[in-house]
Amino acid sequence: MAPPTTMAPHATARHRPTVIEVDLSAIRRNVARLAGITSTTVCAVVKADGYGHGAVQVATAALDGGASWLAVALVEEGEQLRAAGIDAPVLVLTEPPVDAIGALLDARLTPTIYSPRFIDALDAAGAQRGHRVSAHLKVDTGMGRVGVVEADWPVRLDQLAATPHVEVAGIQTHLARADEPAAPTTAEQLARFARFLALARAEGFDPPFVHAANTAGALVHPESRHTMVRTGIGIYGLSPSEAVDAADHGLKPAMRLRSEVSFAKRVDAGTGVSYGHRWHAPVDGWVATVPIGYADGVRRALSNHAEVLLAGARRPVVGSVCMDQLLVWCDQDEVRVGDEVVLLGAATDGGDAPSAGDAVRAEEWAESIGSITYEVVTGFTARVPRMYRDER
Ligand SMILES: *Cc1c(COP(=O)(O)O)cnc(C)c1O
């Protein structure tokens, strides 16, 4: 693989060899793949700093790959995209506080709307500015988080019919269990969504954008695709769940986390290492120290429960993960300061290494810590610099 071609300073730890490398060509290909699979408009979800990958870089790559919308969770995240010169439509996925409406409109963001107070405030702001404000109405069909609940559907449509400065340019819902293909919930939610769409049309609301699908919906529930899909985790090449594996759909991880051995030593059988001596060397052998820890986002629950590729070979993380360092058991193989350690992704030189073609997956970490890939990649802190590679 070619070395990274561009570097974006993101944090202070420039003297430490620990970096996150993001392959922007993988993001582009994943978006193109999702567009091909779904044959509909792709809205690339870049909230939480692009799931830890870097929102501006990911947004740019996603638009290059064929996305026509972006989505964020916060007004501030939308402002960041605008400040970087990104002009594409940006959907804010939940209502911000009413006080943020001015900033939202200044940044030309498209709000998600559902509560009466927010809708009235948006209408007033539109009136004041002398133009209609495009918004995407969200209905709760079973997620139970935000959105107009079914009992309020008629009254909310009545309100919207009486707020001339709010234009319902989209109607959306969100799926609670799309990542469990066998669960009947998705079909039930989509049936409820269809009932709402019929009601809305009868009241004269027939917007161009109708959307329900997240990545799992887009991949395994074709009936959820409607006219747009809001794909997050899939554009990063990661799996929504164990049951919906990104690799099965041709999506490839964009993130690689790498470091280098900072200290190496031979220990005697029975030697305890790291806090609490939660691991002891089974035989005489080599232990490597790696300069990354839980303050970087390598969760402490991975103590004794993760593997890395060290000089190309799969090795176990042993003992407690510390704040800034962790330890790796290399058994009989002598290890040297400077040897490459890949914590996520493939080894740099897969060539003739013992585990050529092997890669450590975020899915492995998720399983080890009883979580999901989303939490793994959004958990990396600002201390780890992000570097960008692009094969163009
Ligand atoms: C985060 C989010 C998404 C993206 O979900 P993925 O599973 O990452 O594809 C879509 N819609 C809403 C409302 C979200 O909050």
Side-chain angles (χ1 to χ4, degrees), residues 219-285:
L219 290 176
V220 300
H221 301 282
E223 66 287 6
S224 73
R225 291 171 190 158
H226 293 281
T227 69
M228 185 161 89
V229 293
R230 303 183 306 264
T231 48
I233 203 74
I235 73 173
Y236 306 99
L238 303 172
S239 306
S241 65
E242 268 177 69
V244 181
D245 195 301
D248 293 346
H249 298 275
L251 303 172
K252 301 217 169 69
M255 182 186 282
R256 208 162 156 264
L257 172 61
R258 66 175 297 281
S259 186
E260 290 173 7
V261 172
S262 57
F263 188 72
K265 63 178 176 293
R266 208 176 146 76
V267 300
D268 295 335
T271 303
V273 303
S274 195
Y275 290 117
H277 284 177
R278 292 162 68 192
W279 181 87
H280 295 84
V283 294
D284 295 359

Side-chain angles (χ1 to χ4, degrees), residues 45 47 51 93 138 145 174 214-215 230-234 374:
V45 181
K47 61 192 180 190
Y51 289 42
L93 292 165
K138 182 167 211 164
R145 187 171 63 178
H174 193 44
N214 53 7
T215 296
R230 303 183 306 264
T231 48
I233 203 74
Y374 305 71

Side-chain angles (χ1 to χ4, degrees), residues 197-208:
L197 290 169
L199 184 68
R201 282 180 190 128
E203 301 287 323
F205 296 96
D206 195 8

